[in-house]
Amino acid sequence: MTGGPGGDAIGDIPFLIDSGLNRNRDLIVMAQRGTLHAQPNLACPEVDRFYADAVGLRYDAPSTGRLLVRATKECRHRLTRVTARGVELSAYNTTQNAADFADLRRALGIDRWNVYGYSYGTDLALTYLRRHPRGVRSVAIDSVVPPQIVSLPWTWDSAGEGIRTIFAACAAQPRCKKRYPNLPRVLTEQVRRLEARPLTVMARPPAGGAPVKVVLDGGALVNLLVANAVPAVDVPAALDELARGNPTRFARARAAGATPVLGEFAHGLTQSVACSEWVPGYTRADLLRAGRRAFPGFPDTVLAQAPQLPFEYDVCRAWSVPDRTAVQRVTTVSTVPALVLSGTFDAKTGARWGAYAARTLPRSTVVRIPGIGHWVVPQSPCAQNVLASFLARPTAPDTRCVSGLSPKPFTITPTPETA
């Protein structure tokens, strides 16, 4: 069960194979309803084009939000009114998504199977386990989104945990601590500086091509960190360079968004799920308070936008789907064996939420992989071995490799005096 919501599950297959999931068993992958390869596909090339243009705009400016809302409205209009058979957007939710997987098991004639999901796929997997427990031998959830807690304010809690953990890991490495002291202060200073006076630079996308115009404001900087757009091992160096007038690492990471693959990501599924299940019940003031708790020194203009979901209240007003929180924001309680994997550097789904979800899964094994960000298994050979042993023995996985792990050494650049 892939992430997003809206990700291309079929495109994940090479990562899953490289992680060994089909080494000793069949691997079954299904495109979720509304995604690429499904019919209909809730892709929004209008939104893809907005995000490509947005690298040259202030991240959290009201004018940027208006452009995003306009692109969202255009996509909604095309999906619901222009096609011969309009899409019923309210049918694209986690309840129906889970039912599709239950139908798949029956259609394939499989008595019992193991379920693996990451990111939003953990929200989906836990919903599936709660509503369709029959035939589930085990569940492995990676980078956990508990359905009972996910909301816009929740995103700030995860962002704060992941970024603070990266800084703490640097402080635990003597060379990193000496070279990059006071990283929390540096980040706050740079967010405030860029929010007051955004930088406009030309940067070449990592994939190549001509340089593009990039705007770095405080909101863009924070969201690049949350998205792990700059590898965690380079974050201290990138922040130090930025503070010394060199924004290259962050500018190139932002420039990557200028070349999207149009129609690959199903933004329509994202909004149908988020606007019905994650957004209702919390106000803009709730979101701002959560941001202030996570990053008390950041400007309110940055904290008013949920990480990775900017202007979501306005977008959801345009998307207009019913509130489903009463049936979806529910805790999963199950005795099915579960493996709960988290990466300590994950700023999208903070590691503590794995243990939180496991509280009502009494036959669960909780594993935290140090120094890994979002979507743990493809990045960690140890996590791959733990998952393989879990699938072989769901109640007694071998987790011994975890005790010897520590974050990789951070990138250390010369000081200006010695360069």
Side-chain angles (χ1 to χ4, degrees):
M1 296 178 175
T2 195
D8 170 25
I10 308 303
D12 287 343
I13 289 175
F15 300 100
L16 301 171
I17 291 175
D18 288 347
S19 300
L21 266 72
N22 68 328
R23 188 172 299 137
N24 299 311
R25 60 193 70 248
D26 292 333
L27 171 64
I28 300 169
V29 180
M30 180 170 71
Q32 294 172 29
R33 58 170 51 203
T35 63
L36 188 66
H37 307 299
Q39 292 295 331
N41 175 9
L42 270 59
C44 291
E46 303 89 345
V47 174
D48 290 329
R49 285 189 285 269
F50 159 78
Y51 280 119
D53 294 340
V55 302
L57 304 173
R58 289 198 60 160
Y59 182 89
D60 48 32
S63 56
T64 303
R66 289 192 290 272
L67 291 174
L68 174 56
V69 170
R70 184 172 73 183
T72 301
K73 287 180 177 178
E74 290 172 354
C75 179
R76 189 186 198 284
H77 178 78
R78 177 178 53 78
L79 290 174
T80 59
R81 297 176 187 173
V82 176
T83 56
R85 294 191 303 168
V87 175
E88 177 51 62
L89 297 177
S90 64
Y92 291 82
N93 57 65
T94 306
T95 299
Q96 296 301 329
N97 206 346
D100 292 342
F101 283 88
D103 289 343
L104 177 65
R105 183 186 66 81
R106 289 190 291 268
L108 294 177
I110 297 172
D111 290 332
R112 293 202 309 162
W113 62 5
N114 307 292
V115 176
Y116 170 66
Y118 77 91
S119 193
Y120 165 71
T122 68
D123 184 347
L124 177 57
L126 289 168
T127 302
Y128 174 80
L129 180 60
R130 175 170 60 87
R131 299 183 68 96
H132 305 279
R134 185 175 179 181
V136 180
R137 175 177 178 265
S138 73
V139 173
I141 48 177
D142 177 339
S143 306
V144 181
V145 180
Q148 70 271 33
I149 202 72
V150 59
S151 65
L152 295 187
W154 172 84
T155 61
W156 275 122
D157 182 281
S158 288
E161 179 184 0
I163 292 172
R164 284 193 299 271
T165 304
I166 293 173
F167 291 169
C170 174
Q173 295 180 13
R175 291 185 68 223
C176 193
K177 180 180 181 179
K178 180 179 179 180
R179 178 65 182 84
Y180 307 115
N182 303 314
L183 283 172
R185 187 188 71 192
V186 173
L187 175 60
T188 298
E189 289 173 350
Q190 294 311 302
V191 170
R192 294 179 69 87
R193 179 177 71 87
L194 290 175
E195 193 67 2
R197 294 181 299 279
L199 285 177
T200 300
V201 299
M202 299 299 292
R204 192 180 301 277
V212 298
K213 174 188 168 186
V214 168
V215 173
L216 282 175
D217 61 0
L221 175 59
V222 172
N223 277 271
L224 289 170
L225 292 173
V226 172
N228 197 36
V230 173
V233 294
D234 295 336
V235 164
L239 285 172
D240 180 73
E241 291 166 353
L242 179 64
R244 297 176 188 276
N246 178 7
T248 300
R249 293 186 201 252
F250 287 113
R252 291 199 72 200
R254 183 128 164 88
T259 55
V261 179
L262 296 182
E264 184 174 79
F265 191 85
H267 296 284
L269 180 61
T270 305
Q271 298 309 336
S272 286
V273 170
C275 295
S276 65
E277 300 173 10
W278 301 352
V279 172
Y282 295 93
T283 66
R284 296 173 193 261
D286 294 328
L287 175 61
L288 184 58
R289 280 193 292 270
R292 288 171 175 167
R293 286 194 299 270
F295 297 101
F298 285 9
D300 282 355
T301 50
V302 172
L303 301 176
Q305 307 303 332
Q308 307 296 287
L309 290 168
F311 305 101
E312 191 65 10
Y313 287 105
D314 300 321
V315 167
C316 287
R317 188 180 304 112
W319 200 251
S320 186
V321 288
D323 180 344
R324 300 192 66 262
T325 55
V327 296
Q328 180 57 30
R329 203 171 279 165
V330 179
T331 300
T332 297
V333 180
S334 175
T335 57
V336 169
L339 176 65
V340 182
L341 291 164
S342 299
T344 61
F345 285 1
D346 187 352
K348 290 184 180 180
T349 59
R352 78 184 185 96
W353 296 109
Y356 176 88
R359 296 188 308 176
T360 56
L361 304 172
R363 299 177 74 193
S364 60
T365 301
V366 178
V367 174
R368 292 163 60 103
I369 304 294
I372 297 294
H374 200 63
W375 195 10
V376 175
V377 165
Q379 302 180 69
S380 169
C382 174
Q384 294 166 17
N385 291 334
V386 171
L387 177 57
S389 72
F390 170 77
L391 294 175
R393 298 177 301 278
T395 58
D398 184 353
T399 63
R400 288 174 294 178
C401 64
V402 179
S403 62
L405 296 178
S406 60
K408 294 179 180 179
F410 287 91
T411 300
I412 306 296
T413 57
T415 60
E417 295 77 15
T418 60

